[in-house]
Amino acid sequence: MSNQEYVPKSKFGKWFNDRLPLLTLASHLADYPTPKNLNYWWTFGGILTFCLITQIVTGITLAMHYIAHADMAFESVEHIMRDVNYGWLIRYIHSNGASMFFLAVYIHIFRSLFYGSYKSPREIIWIIGIIIYLLMMASAFMGYVLPWGQMSFWGATVITNLFSAIPFVGEGIVNWLWGGYSVDNPTLTRFFTLHYLIPFLILGLVVLHIWALHVPGNNNPIGIDIKKPSKDTVPFHPYIVLKDGFALLMFMLVFAFFVFYSPNVLGHADNYIEANPMVTPAHIVPEWYLLPFYAILRSVPDKLMGVIAMLSAILILAALPWLDTSKIRSAVFRPLYKQFYWILVADVLILGYVGAMPAEGLYLLIARVATGYYFIHFLMILPILGFKEKTIPVPLSITEPVLGGSPNLATVKKKRV
Amino acid sequence: MKNIFKISYLTILLLLGTYQVNAAEKVELLKTDWSFKGLFGKFDRGSLQRGYQVYTEVCSSCHSMKYVSYRNLAEKGGPEFTIDQVKAIAANFDVIDGPNNDGEMFDRPAKLSDKFVKPYENVKAAQAANGGAYPPDMSVLAKARSGGVDYIYSVLLGYEDPPSGITLDDGVYYNKYMYGNNIKMAKPLSDNLIEYSDGTIASEEQMAKDVTTFLMWAAEPHLESRHKMGFKAILYIIILTILVYFSMKKVWSRIESEV
């Protein structure tokens, strides 16, 4: 996307590049004009790439020692923890890495919601992102089954049983998923296969996600279209590389703290008990990152409707570019949307909280209200807000609010981290 | 920056919220000082060795520890018995090996490489001998109960007479900290039940603390090297973060009007 065509300096480089323009690609990535006002919320894209690669590398290493068999899986995990050189480190990075991955992806998604990054012309980036998120959830769920602990087994039982809600063919589908009449060895082996496959699908989609991003370029905190390259942009290298690198290191600090000092705090103790089909745990709770959707599922009394509500809660995000009717991207210039945005954040956190609680009494009531509000936000508030809201005038360029002393100076400055 | 704090605060609240779910439904657990907690936490070697003695003289008659090998007892970061001590320990146990060249199975003394010998052949045998309750394997027990070591310590010391109005079946005991308060294990520890080989007074609390420490090591044999490596890793990341921060500031200062 740089103005002048890239020409390799060496003769070999030129020869190679004429046949496979890898050097042109590298030069495009290095020069890629990036808005210079990106704040730290924008660093999570790079952090997520790091998370994916970490999961793939540690995952492949674990797969060399893990045995996907109902009688041996639990033991093989203990073998990794005790006898494989640094096996404990690799496994703790992988299991906590899943949580860190979701922490980063939630920040990435909510950043997009705040700054309207899903709006035209970035709908395809957004939709690919939602597919990646769906695949992440599938992969994380199946990965949690592999140690074959009590939560693995019963989590798998509960989630696969959701498909039985489908009228007429539900039971058949569940048996087909299980490869039998209960969660057992065939279920474990196929989950292992898919858990190994899905990350590579995600990797492919990430390439498309970035490719689609490099067509219109990054959105930015004030959400305006900018000329590229111009005074408003900086080349990706070294400016963004260093900034992303700094943020990644901060992220790794948190990551390392979990891995080395609280490696099991995000998991459930029951998963250190080997799977036992005869004993059901007192509470079957999914991993924390699935809790908001678990709350939505349980808030609906009817099983089928619950499953539909849960799926809609995710799929509704794919329709977001068309549900949000406002032409203004950044919430910085949308005073009302900004407030509803924070209410939505609180709403999702509340859903996550009640998802971990027993579905009864006050918790159930809160879950129902929060589920209702979640859908109202996307289906009513967002479409109406686009027409009713009085937005703040948007600056013409990134440099303008700084040089021209626009009335938004204060707000824009506050966003700068 | 304010937003970062806002978000991280909310996230931590959420994480703590889920974490507390497990803790909230239980009575307040007994606390004691665990030497292995904290950034530099290490096992107390003496406590581990005494803990092994409690395990082997008291617990191991019912509880297996099938993922731990005798050699682990001599490894760094564990009880660190000498190799000769561990060889002597292992030789006290018989394992079935074979088949030999005649096709016969045979008994031989356990070696360093053998896993801890189990008290019962299988789960059914264990249940039959314990009134239908299976004494759980202790290899990862310290990680398999919410509340962890505090919970195990509390259960060991939580035996009480049942409150009036509660009648217990034969072979069922009342324990203040056990989930559901009913436990099929008789009170396992009492003052001076065993005689510590290092001369420590074997009070109930001392034994509970020692054996729980031993269980934590059994569940997490690499805990010490994890803590050590964690400190180095985090220090390394902090230094690198500072360096990258100043490089970033320097490079970005080339942009005259940073937004």
Side-chain angles (χ1 to χ4, degrees):
Chain A
M1 217 151 291
S2 48
N3 272 350
Q4 65 273 42
E5 196 63 34
Y6 171 77
V7 185
K9 285 192 189 80
S10 73
K11 227 175 150 190
F12 173 74
K14 203 174 165 322
W15 177 89
F16 185 88
N17 205 47
D18 286 345
R19 283 150 184 82
L20 180 67
L22 272 186
L23 295 168
T24 304
L25 177 68
S27 130
H28 159 75
L29 292 176
D31 294 342
Y32 172 67
T34 318
K36 66 177 178 183
N37 62 338
L38 295 189
N39 56 34
Y40 281 106
W41 299 117
W42 258 266
T43 59
F44 281 87
I47 287 171
L48 282 161
T49 315
F50 164 81
C51 287
L52 178 62
I53 291 168
T54 306
Q55 290 305 87
I56 288 179
V57 171
T58 52
I60 290 174
T61 318
L62 288 172
M64 293 173 186
H65 303 281
Y66 170 78
I67 303 168
H69 188 286
D71 295 336
M72 287 181 270
F74 191 85
E75 192 182 343
S76 74
V77 172
E78 278 310 309
H79 165 68
I80 291 169
M81 292 298 290
R82 289 161 193 277
D83 297 332
V84 173
N85 290 331
Y86 298 105
W88 58 269
L89 177 63
I90 299 163
R91 173 163 179 261
Y92 279 154
I93 291 177
H94 196 75
S95 60
N96 286 285
S99 283
M100 300 312 289
F101 205 156
F102 274 94
L103 177 66
V105 91
Y106 282 126
I107 295 176
H108 193 62
I109 291 172
F110 274 100
R111 187 270 292 155
S112 189
L113 291 179
F114 188 86
Y115 295 110
S117 302
Y118 48 84
K119 291 185 195 183
S120 171
R122 297 184 180 84
E123 300 95 323
I124 301 287
I125 312 173
W126 172 255
I127 290 170
I128 292 172
I130 297 299
I131 300 171
I132 292 174
Y133 174 52
L134 272 172
L135 287 177
M136 274 176 65
M137 288 200 281
S139 189
F141 158 67
M142 290 192 228
Y144 196 57
V145 174
L146 301 186
W148 212 240
Q150 274 289 69
M151 249 343 131
S152 301
F153 181 89
W154 290 99
T157 304
V158 169
I159 301 294
T160 48
N161 254 316
L162 294 178
F163 291 89
S164 71
I166 303 167
F168 309 116
V169 291
E171 286 296 323
I173 288 181
V174 172
N175 288 342
W176 177 72
L177 287 174
W178 286 341
Y181 296 99
S182 66
V183 173
D184 206 340
N185 197 46
T187 327
L188 177 59
T189 49
R190 67 190 54 187
F191 274 25
F192 177 56
T193 317
L194 294 173
H195 182 70
Y196 206 118
L197 167 72
I198 291 175
F200 294 97
L201 299 182
I202 295 178
L203 186 63
L205 284 166
V206 165
V207 171
L208 294 184
H209 194 65
I210 296 173
W211 185 1
L213 169 71
H214 280 228
V215 177
N218 290 71
N219 183 29
N220 62 77
I222 58 175
I224 54 165
D225 291 321
I226 50 171
K227 262 181 50 199
K228 293 173 295 274
S230 71
K231 269 177 94 174
D232 284 349
T233 66
V234 291
F236 189 78
H237 183 75
Y239 295 95
I240 304 297
V241 168
L242 274 169
K243 195 168 182 173
D244 279 3
F246 170 65
L248 174 61
L249 284 165
M250 299 283 278
F251 182 81
M252 282 169 76
L253 266 180
V254 180
F255 197 155
F257 180 81
F258 277 109
V259 167
F260 292 108
Y261 294 108
S262 319
N264 292 308
V265 80
L266 298 170
H268 199 291
D270 279 16
N271 226 28
Y272 278 107
I273 304 172
E274 194 170 359
N276 184 350
M278 312 306 277
V279 180
T280 318
H283 300 290
I284 301 177
V285 195
E287 292 283 77
W288 68 268
Y289 39 80
L290 302 176
L291 287 173
F293 299 105
Y294 194 54
I296 292 176
L297 170 77
R298 294 191 305 177
S299 70
V300 184
D302 180 67
K303 189 174 175 186
L304 179 60
M305 293 312 286
V307 174
I308 291 174
M310 181 176 71
L311 284 177
S312 320
I314 306 167
L315 293 178
I316 204 170
L317 292 172
L320 187 57
W322 297 276
L323 288 171
D324 185 347
T325 50
S326 173
K327 291 275 174 287
I328 308 296
R329 293 197 191 100
S330 174
V332 174
F333 306 105
R334 301 183 60 190
L336 277 179
Y337 173 71
K338 199 196 239 166
Q339 290 174 30
F340 283 114
Y341 170 85
W342 286 111
I343 296 174
L344 180 74
V345 172
D347 188 63
V348 172
L349 290 176
I350 289 168
L351 277 172
Y353 179 73
V354 292
M357 296 313 212
E360 57 199 25
L362 186 61
Y363 293 128
L364 188 58
L365 182 71
I366 296 173
R368 285 182 175 155
V369 173
T371 301
Y373 183 80
Y374 181 90
F375 286 103
I376 288 171
H377 176 90
F378 288 108
L379 292 175
M380 291 173 66
I381 296 174
L382 282 190
I384 295 171
L385 214 54
F387 298 111
K388 297 281 178 205
E389 186 176 29
K390 260 189 85 162
T391 55
I392 301 169
V394 173
L396 294 172
S397 78
I398 292 172
T399 29
E400 189 218 39
V402 177
L403 303 174
S406 111
N408 311 312
L409 179 59
T411 15
V412 175
K413 275 239 146 147
K414 225 173 70 186
K415 289 293 135 212
R416 174 194 149 198
V417 181
Chain B
M1 212 55 183
K2 236 174 83 190
N3 274 337
I4 294 193
F5 286 128
K6 211 187 281 177
I7 285 273
S8 29
Y9 178 67
L10 288 173
T11 322
I12 288 165
L13 266 190
L14 179 74
L15 295 181
L16 284 182
T18 42
Y19 181 55
Q20 276 167 356
V21 178
N22 305 327
E25 62 200 20
K26 303 241 164 65
V27 280
E28 188 76 23
L29 296 174
L30 296 177
K31 301 274 182 222
T32 184
D33 296 329
W34 301 112
S35 62
F36 49 83
K37 295 252 159 129
L39 293 195
F40 302 104
K42 278 184 180 171
F43 290 116
D44 173 350
R45 223 57 66 194
S47 186
L48 278 183
Q49 297 197 353
R50 290 192 297 274
Y52 172 70
Q53 202 186 335
V54 178
Y55 168 74
T56 198
E57 289 182 26
V58 183
C59 321
S60 71
S61 54
C62 300
H63 290 276
S64 61
M65 208 176 242
K66 59 182 174 184
Y67 300 125
V68 182
S69 306
Y70 292 107
R71 64 180 161 83
N72 296 140
L73 291 171
E75 279 165 9
K76 214 167 169 294
E80 296 185 5
F81 289 112
T82 63
I83 288 283
D84 290 332
Q85 280 174 315
V86 179
K87 278 183 179 159
I89 288 172
N92 290 333
F93 298 91
D94 272 346
V95 292
I96 302 167
D97 203 347
N100 62 15
N101 291 341
D102 299 327
E104 308 283 339
M105 302 303 280
F106 59 92
D107 279 355
R108 62 159 173 80
K111 293 187 288 196
L112 289 178
S113 57
D114 284 311
K115 296 266 194 286
F116 278 20
V117 172
K118 292 187 228 175
Y120 303 105
E121 283 289 298
N122 50 52
V123 174
K124 288 283 175 209
Q127 282 174 329
N130 289 283
Y134 171 60
D137 184 84
M138 281 184 160
S139 316
V140 279
L141 197 69
K143 290 194 286 187
R145 297 290 181 275
S146 64
V149 281
D150 290 331
Y151 173 76
I152 292 174
Y153 181 73
S154 302
V155 166
L156 285 173
L157 298 175
Y159 284 84
E160 281 181 353
D161 290 330
S164 56
I166 293 184
T167 45
L168 297 170
D169 294 339
D170 255 6
V172 178
Y173 306 87
Y174 187 85
N175 191 305
K176 198 174 152 191
Y177 302 102
M178 181 78 185
Y179 188 73
N181 295 131
N182 288 353
I183 186 165
K184 284 207 165 180
M185 173 172 73
K187 187 172 188 293
L189 301 176
S190 53
D191 286 340
N192 299 315
L193 178 69
I194 64 169
E195 199 176 315
Y196 275 135
S197 50
D198 67 354
T200 307
I201 295 162
S203 69
E204 210 181 317
E205 285 82 10
Q206 183 68 43
M207 285 188 284
K209 188 172 175 179
D210 290 341
V211 77
T212 309
T213 305
F214 178 72
L215 290 181
M216 187 65 220
W217 166 77
E220 199 68 26
H222 298 293
L223 180 139
E224 285 191 10
S225 43
R226 173 155 62 76
H227 284 179
K228 254 186 236 160
M229 189 192 286
F231 178 72
K232 286 186 216 158
I234 286 177
L235 193 68
Y236 177 86
I237 298 174
I238 289 176
I239 293 171
L240 191 60
T241 310
I242 295 170
L243 292 177
V244 171
Y245 176 78
F246 284 112
S247 320
M248 177 182 76
K249 280 286 153 196
K250 174 107 186 171
V251 166
W252 275 84
S253 67
R254 291 182 211 155
I255 313 278
E256 321 100 281
S257 57
E258 189 196 329
V259 175

